[in-house]
Amino acid sequence: MQVLRAIGLMVLGMAVLAVGDGFVKTASLHVSLGQILLGLGIGGALIFAAIARRRGEAIFRRELFLPLMLLRNALEMLGAIGMVIGLAKVPLSVMAAIMQSAPLVVTLGAALVLKETVGPRRWAAVGIGLLGMLMVLRPFGEAFTGWELFGVMGVTALAARDLVTRVAPASLPTMFLSTWGILSIAVPGALFATFDDRPMVWSADALWPLLGAILVTPFGYLAVTLSMRLAPAAVVAPFRYTRLVFTTALGVVVFGERPDFWTLLGALVILGAGLFVFAREHQLARQAARDAASVPGR
């Protein structure tokens, strides 16, 4: 029953995050990039800080100024800028496919930066996944606008953030990382708002989607976090890819998008490559655990 609950929470979290993407896209029709980043940063941080206080976790710690934390927050800013611009300018079906390439980028970064061992099968899967990305983007085709590169930038920066999180001290609470990470995106938001010719908009049409994004996005991440704590990652992590279905469906039903053949094919290629990489990593982890258990004296 606990496993089913974990799977349900993961699927719910992906659905909620997809709705958050839709809210951001709707808000971008009325307000500036700076106002969106400011709202998400400050609103999300207040929600996370309230949860941390309820749990008795401190969010003011001297580790905040560690170079690793500063780097993580800088990557969070860069990722948020890329993702918000991508959601504002690119069809949701395209952004959904780009976002699902994140696990492949993490695997690539782990091999190149953290020097983790990646075998030929996973390298092949990463290459195939990147080929799927090219199918979606088609950088030399008529449908390519250039705005898609901001989505790629956002995914790459957030994947790098995840790599930094891997090497962060295990003693740092999740809510501490989450609170300061999401608050950091208010910094570029304030800069963009200051130098933007568009004034802040406070009408109901503008504020309701922004408020929706502020409210649902943190709870989507919390559902995912709780899911990963209730059941093994091998069981629940593959259900992350349901976000591809939810976001694409939202684009079709709400925004009237009609993803073409190459977008759908590329998304399926990315999905298959990502699932293979995950399955292979899980298989290697189990083999390593069996080998460790078989060592005499352990």
Side-chain angles (χ1 to χ4, degrees), residues 65-128:
F65 299 103
L66 289 175
L68 207 63
M69 277 293 298
L70 297 177
L71 175 61
R72 186 183 186 279
N73 290 342
L75 291 169
E76 190 88 58
M77 295 181 207
L78 193 61
I81 293 170
M83 294 300 291
V84 170
I85 293 177
L87 288 169
K89 300 294 185 178
V90 179
L92 279 180
S93 54
V94 174
M95 278 300 295
I98 293 173
M99 286 188 286
Q100 295 315 304
S101 66
L104 300 173
V105 179
V106 170
T107 299
L108 181 63
L112 298 179
V113 179
L114 301 183
K115 306 302 179 183
E116 293 183 6
T117 301
V118 175
R121 279 177 281 188
R122 279 185 291 167
W123 274 119
V126 169
I128 291 171

Side-chain angles (χ1 to χ4, degrees), residues 160-190:
R161 176 207 63 188
D162 291 342
L163 290 175
V164 172
T165 304
R166 281 192 187 186
V167 298
S171 60
L172 295 180
T174 300
M175 296 311 302
F176 170 75
L177 295 173
S178 300
T179 301
W180 289 105
I182 200 166
L183 181 60
S184 67
I185 72 175
V187 175

Side-chain angles (χ1 to χ4, degrees), residues 136-150:
V136 174
L137 296 179
R138 279 159 289 162
F140 302 108
E142 294 181 359
F144 182 72
T145 65
W147 292 110
E148 295 87 349
L149 295 179
F150 282 97

Side-chain angles (χ1 to χ4, degrees), residues 8 12 30 48 58 94 99 107 121 141 156 193 216 220 249 252:
L12 175 64
H30 305 280
F48 282 140
V94 174
M99 286 188 286
T107 299
R121 279 177 281 188
T156 304
V216 305
V252 171

Side-chain angles (χ1 to χ4, degrees), residues 52-278:
R53 180 173 182 179
R54 183 175 179 83
R55 291 181 175 180
E57 297 179 4
I59 60 170
F60 294 100
R61 302 167 60 105
R62 60 184 180 183
E63 290 92 343
L64 175 62
F65 299 103
L66 289 175
L68 207 63
M69 277 293 298
L70 297 177
L71 175 61
R72 186 183 186 279
N73 290 342
L75 291 169
E76 190 88 58
M77 295 181 207
L78 193 61
I81 293 170
M83 294 300 291
V84 170
I85 293 177
L87 288 169
K89 300 294 185 178
V90 179
L92 279 180
S93 54
V94 174
M95 278 300 295
I98 293 173
M99 286 188 286
Q100 295 315 304
S101 66
L104 300 173
V105 179
V106 170
T107 299
L108 181 63
L112 298 179
V113 179
L114 301 183
K115 306 302 179 183
E116 293 183 6
T117 301
V118 175
R121 279 177 281 188
R122 279 185 291 167
W123 274 119
V126 169
I128 291 171
L130 295 179
L131 178 62
M133 174 82 80
L134 289 176
M135 291 180 186
V136 174
L137 296 179
R138 279 159 289 162
F140 302 108
E142 294 181 359
F144 182 72
T145 65
W147 292 110
E148 295 87 349
L149 295 179
F150 282 97
V152 175
M153 180 189 83
V155 165
T156 304
L158 293 179
R161 176 207 63 188
D162 291 342
L163 290 175
V164 172
T165 304
R166 281 192 187 186
V167 298
S171 60
L172 295 180
T174 300
M175 296 311 302
F176 170 75
L177 295 173
S178 300
T179 301
W180 289 105
I182 200 166
L183 181 60
S184 67
I185 72 175
V187 175
L191 290 175
F192 286 132
T194 299
F195 295 102
D196 198 327
D197 293 334
R198 297 172 61 184
M200 292 279 193
V201 180
W202 304 105
S203 65
D205 288 344
L207 290 182
W208 78 259
L210 181 56
L211 182 60
I214 292 169
L215 291 176
V216 305
T217 301
F219 288 105
Y221 283 111
L222 286 176
V224 172
T225 301
L226 182 57
S227 170
M228 297 294 286
R229 289 180 174 178
L230 287 176
V235 175
V236 297
F239 289 90
R240 284 180 178 271
Y241 288 98
T242 56
R243 186 173 182 176
L244 177 64
V245 178
F246 291 127
T247 304
T248 302
L250 197 64
V252 171
V253 175
V254 177
F255 295 96
E257 299 174 4
R258 294 295 180 267
D260 60 21
F261 170 78
W262 288 106
T263 298
L264 294 175
L265 179 60
L268 288 175
V269 170
I270 294 169
L271 173 63
L275 289 174
F276 176 84
V277 166
F278 176 80

